[in-house]
Amino acid sequence: MQDAERTTENTTSGGHGGDPGRSPEHRQDHGIARIREAAAGVWADPWWTLPNLLSVLRLAGVPLFLWLLLGPKADLLALLVLVVSGITDWLDGKLARWLNQYSRLGELLDPAADRLYIVATLVAFVLRDVVPWWVAAALVLRDVVLTLCLPVLRWHGYEPPEVHYLGKAATFCLMYAFPLLLLVQEEFPLSEVVRPVAYAFTCWGGALYLWAGVLYLGQVVAAVHQARRRPARA
């Protein structure tokens, strides 16, 4: 959770928008320079830190998690992998703060692991007829669109949007929904009680996830519009 612990400057507040007097050619050069600067920052920061190691372990658990769901359909073991992922997600952010080991790589790995677990879960749930395909498609499309917006923001000299509380709430709901949905695939005494709770978290989390995506996209559009309205100088 390194990105949630250390949010970036608000996109629409001006960020690092560059010199408003630059010509379009200079702005293009500035956009390329910002993208290169962001890439260089990833390489310049230390890689071998404990928070980054935990993030890599979380990423390594994604194919195992997906195989457990689709291969042997060992839902309880898959649930254990998901729980361990959630614990390391919390722990890497705490360690980054306690040890002062923040890094750009960690800020990229951590949300990447979150998104991959969500995508892997949705793919498995669709293939096993747990959730409708269009629900999974909407949530995955949301992440694809926002990921494509990041280089656009860098091009115009802005940092990624600040983590929104709705986005945090949506992820929280989905991270509760997925284990509960896995749990109710097996019959147990309280399955009829847990099942509506699982679907409720899925509906709330999915709706909030999409709405948070719309808000993020609105910030991106506003930032690009603001950058293009700056007066240019020959």
Side-chain angles (χ1 to χ4, degrees), residues 22 31 57 62 70 87 95 97 144 160 164 175 192 210 224:
R22 289 180 174 174
L57 289 176
V62 173
L70 297 179
I87 293 172
L95 288 175
R97 186 179 63 185
V144 170
H164 199 278
M175 288 304 150
E192 294 305 316
L210 294 176
V224 172

Side-chain angles (χ1 to χ4, degrees), residues 14-55:
H16 301 282
D19 183 359
R22 289 180 174 174
S23 66
E25 292 78 11
H26 284 128
R27 290 178 188 173
Q28 181 176 353
D29 292 341
H30 180 67
I32 296 173
R34 287 292 296 167
I35 294 174
R36 288 176 176 171
E37 179 186 344
V42 173
W43 289 100
D45 282 346
W47 283 34
W48 298 109
T49 65
L50 188 54
N52 287 354
L53 177 60
L54 290 177
S55 294

Side-chain angles (χ1 to χ4, degrees), residues 3-22:
D3 61 328
E5 296 280 354
R6 190 190 185 198
T7 56
T8 55
E9 185 175 354
N10 194 320
T11 302
T12 56
S13 64
H16 301 282
D19 183 359
R22 289 180 174 174

